[in-house]
Amino acid sequence: MIFIMKHNATEEQVSRVVSRIEKWGCQAHLSTGKEQTIIGVVGDVRRIDTEVAARIDGVDSVMRVQKSFKLASREFHPLDTVFDVNGVKIGNDHFVVMAGPCAVENHDQLMETAMIVKNAGAQILRGGAYKPRTSPYSFQGLGEEGLRILAEAREKTGMPIVTEVTEPQLVDMVASYADILQIGARNMQNYALLHAVGESQKPVLLKRGMMSTVDEMLMAADYILSHGNWRVMLCERGIRTFSTYTRNTLDISVVPLLKQLSHLPVIVDPSHATGKWDLVAPVSRASLAVGADGLIIEVHPRPEEAMSDGAQSLTPGNFQELMNSLKPIASAVGKILS
Ligand code: PEP
Ligand code: MN
């Protein structure tokens, strides 16, 4: 349920509505825009009579949100969410490129990759320190040592870092190094983890589970938002279908669909979506053209030596070419690619 306040509603009227909502045993979440304040109500809203509630001073109207997700919905927050991560703007007319290796393998590999992606125009550095690998025999990541290396790369390049966190118990520690916490596809419905990253108040990149519906993804986002953590990005990274030529199937239509349904920025991961380096650039261009707010791309100085996901990693040259080819598309669709 959402309460739409009148344009001239006072702060006092807003806080009176919030306390009424709390008296009804529900939680209130404020979305304060330039024009209007909207109050999202979460909890057992059956006892709230919309007609009675609409008569509270300062309230313009009260609506039930029929969708299963609430806080992530456009009804609750009609304008695009825009936020800042260490000076990098994400959302609305900004297009963000995050790039780096699948995994932090050692100090020199990460520093080399960080400089390469920065010089090619990436704004955020990616790198996994905790790797949830499908096979227990594959490289599992360097753990905290990997985070220390990422933090050093941030010092050197000025780029914020995004890295995956796999367990609730690790959230505080990973958040002490990272600028953006990534929730991996395998963990999209790990509710204890969603709760913990919600509490952390760090920006979150929430990847779509490989077998998840759009509603499930947006409800997962609501788990994070309901802790008052509004800096959430949704990431399409391909889903599992009967098609076997690619690692996953990129659900390209989900990009404009998510933009309709939600105010949150939408990022595409063409690397995990395709699993093939030579499909990454065309799919990246398509994602920008169709309205994505950014990309997260795997780059390795020598993909043939990569300890994970070498087949889908771009070489430095491939990445530079891709960045150059994005520019005319960004200006055609009115996105700022700085
Ligand atoms: C990754 O980003 O390296 C990763 C493991 O992604 P996903 O969770 O989408 O498989
Ligand atoms: Mn990977």
Side-chain angles (χ1 to χ4, degrees), residues 73-313:
S73 73
R74 278 260 177 218
E75 284 96 327
F76 172 55
H77 193 292
L79 298 179
D80 284 353
T81 282
V82 182
F83 56 85
D84 183 293
V85 180
N86 300 3
V88 177
K89 288 260 188 317
I90 298 180
N92 191 240
D93 49 5
H94 303 276
F95 190 77
V96 66
V97 179
M98 312 181 208
C102 177
V104 181
E105 297 169 4
N106 56 61
H107 176 273
D108 292 353
Q109 168 252 12
L110 188 76
M111 295 304 156
E112 186 182 356
T113 318
M115 288 316 297
I116 289 165
V117 301
K118 184 189 164 77
N119 291 334
Q123 297 120 302
I124 293 177
L125 176 66
R126 67 149 285 151
Y130 290 88
K131 298 301 304 174
R133 305 303 300 281
T134 303
S135 164
Y137 310 112
S138 303
F139 175 57
Q140 304 286 314
L142 295 182
E144 192 168 359
E145 175 55 18
L147 298 174
R148 276 193 283 269
I149 298 172
L150 281 165
E152 194 185 324
R154 172 181 49 214
E155 293 306 306
K156 228 183 189 150
T157 62
M159 278 191 289
I161 54 183
V162 54
T163 196
E164 179 163 354
V165 58
T166 49
E167 293 172 49
Q169 305 89 289
L170 292 175
V171 168
D172 286 345
M173 190 271 286
V174 176
S176 71
Y177 293 95
D179 302 293
I180 303 173
L181 299 174
Q182 175 174 322
I183 299 293
R186 291 159 192 77
N187 270 319
M188 191 202 82
Q189 286 177 306
N190 180 339
Y191 298 114
L193 185 60
L194 299 177
H195 177 113
V197 298
E199 296 262 292
S200 80
Q201 302 298 327
K202 277 270 169 177
V204 177
L205 178 79
L206 175 65
K207 288 195 156 196
R208 181 180 184 181
M210 51 192 93
M211 285 153 292
S212 300
T213 65
V214 169
D215 279 5
E216 285 164 349
M217 184 188 204
L218 290 168
M219 282 191 276
D222 266 21
Y223 267 94
I224 304 169
L225 300 172
S226 64
H227 294 279
N229 185 354
W230 294 100
R231 293 186 294 173
V232 175
M233 292 168 259
L234 306 169
C235 179
E236 164 63 29
R237 45 76 74 203
I239 50 174
R240 196 158 272 194
T241 68
F242 55 83
S243 180
T244 50
Y245 271 95
T246 48
R247 181 173 176 178
N248 291 289
T249 298
L250 177 69
D251 183 0
I252 192 94
S253 59
V254 90
V255 176
L257 176 65
L258 286 172
K259 299 292 296 177
Q260 281 173 13
L261 294 174
S262 177
H263 52 90
L264 298 172
V266 177
I267 307 297
V268 172
D269 174 346
S271 310
H272 294 87
T274 63
K276 293 189 165 159
W277 72 269
D278 52 353
L279 299 180
V280 168
V283 159
S284 298
R285 291 189 283 267
S287 303
L288 167 56
V290 84
D293 298 299
L295 295 165
I296 180 162
I297 297 177
E298 289 184 343
V299 178
H300 197 286
R302 290 163 294 282
E304 67 284 2
E305 291 172 18
M307 294 174 81
S308 66
D309 289 349
Q312 67 194 35
S313 297

Side-chain angles (χ1 to χ4, degrees), residues 43-55:
D44 184 2
V45 294
R46 284 172 300 184
R47 55 210 285 207
I48 306 179
D49 180 324
T50 49
E51 280 171 30
V52 174
R55 298 187 61 181

